Amino acid sequence: MRQPVDVSNADHYVWGEVSDGWRLLDSPVLSVIEERVPAGAGEEWHVHDTATQFFYVLEGTPQMQTAEGVVELAPRQGVDIPPGLAHRFFNPGDSETRFLVISTPNTRGDRRPGDAV
């Protein structure tokens, strides 16, 4: 029988030494992750060759920095990142941000360094 999933029972990991992720759904064709990023923290620049991603902000005012420019985000806003676009999620605010990242297919094994812009 299906059971509800949330951050209390999902697989948890730490990235960037200070940020958290919870794998809410982790299948080969679809990934849904809730992440928490403290103020002043963010990802390294990178690229996915296959996956399309959608970042949806729950709390905070982060940025999605891409090779095409910077997208300022607010709660209840999202942005898609197509395969091949170098990007970096960053929280320039003074409080933490929480967001969902939805990827299809799953990004495991589909990540390489990307050039900073």
Side-chain angles (χ1 to χ4, degrees):
M1 183 168 151
R2 301 278 176 186
Q3 296 294 318
V5 63
D6 60 35
V7 298
S8 72
N9 61 7
D11 288 339
H12 173 259
Y13 61 94
V14 176
W15 61 270
E17 298 181 18
V18 295
S19 298
D20 293 289
W22 294 268
R23 294 185 185 282
L24 303 175
L25 176 64
D26 190 20
S27 81
V29 297
L30 180 64
S31 168
V32 179
I33 300 171
E34 181 173 338
E35 294 193 348
R36 182 200 63 81
V37 179
E43 296 180 293
E44 298 292 325
W45 282 92
H46 65 281
V47 173
H48 300 284
D49 293 319
T50 305
T52 295
Q53 295 187 294
F54 183 74
F55 293 78
Y56 186 79
V57 177
L58 302 171
E59 300 173 3
T61 54
Q63 297 176 337
M64 177 56 71
Q65 301 171 351
T66 77
E68 298 174 344
V70 175
V71 179
E72 303 285 345
L73 295 165
R76 301 181 68 189
Q77 291 184 329
V79 63
D80 70 300
I81 303 295
L85 180 62
H87 63 282
R88 170 180 192 251
F89 188 93
F90 183 71
N91 180 9
D94 56 5
S95 62
E96 75 177 24
T97 188
R98 284 184 175 261
F99 62 98
L100 298 177
V101 57
I102 302 157
S103 306
T104 184
N106 196 311
T107 58
R108 288 183 189 252
D110 180 34
R111 180 182 169 122
R112 63 180 167 85
D115 293 329
V117 177

